[in-house]
Amino acid sequence: MASLVNIAVIGLFAYGLLEDLRLTSWVTGLLVLMYTFLFVLLQLNDLAFLAGNIGLVIILSVIMKASLRLTR
């Protein structure tokens, strides 16, 4: 419940700042993914370290790919 409230508050704040529904939906979607990933990590007691590292590698590669588009 607390995660949903946090996502809603941050989403509304992002919409107030950005005034663009498309960008706000991206921010909100990324928050949902982040909270879901953290919830799954908390549920995986034995494999949390492995799953966390795999997730971080995926996130890092997505950020690196997105930053290539910014430099062009």
Side-chain angles (χ1 to χ4, degrees):
M1 245 356 217
S3 299
L4 293 176
V5 172
N6 281 333
I7 291 170
V9 168
I10 294 171
L12 289 171
F13 180 73
Y15 182 70
L17 281 177
L18 301 172
E19 296 178 356
D20 184 13
L21 190 60
R22 187 174 147 245
L23 287 175
T24 303
S25 62
W26 270 101
V27 170
T28 306
L30 289 174
L31 284 172
V32 169
L33 284 174
M34 183 187 70
Y35 276 108
T36 304
F37 179 66
L38 289 175
F39 178 76
V40 168
L41 280 183
L42 288 173
Q43 299 302 313
L44 295 173
N45 291 328
D46 297 332
L47 299 174
F49 187 70
L50 176 64
N53 282 329
I54 291 170
L56 287 175
V57 167
I58 292 170
I59 291 168
L60 179 63
S61 60
V62 168
I63 290 172
M64 290 171 71
K65 180 71 174 172
S67 65
L68 283 177
R69 292 183 183 171
L70 294 176
T71 58
R72 293 182 184 173

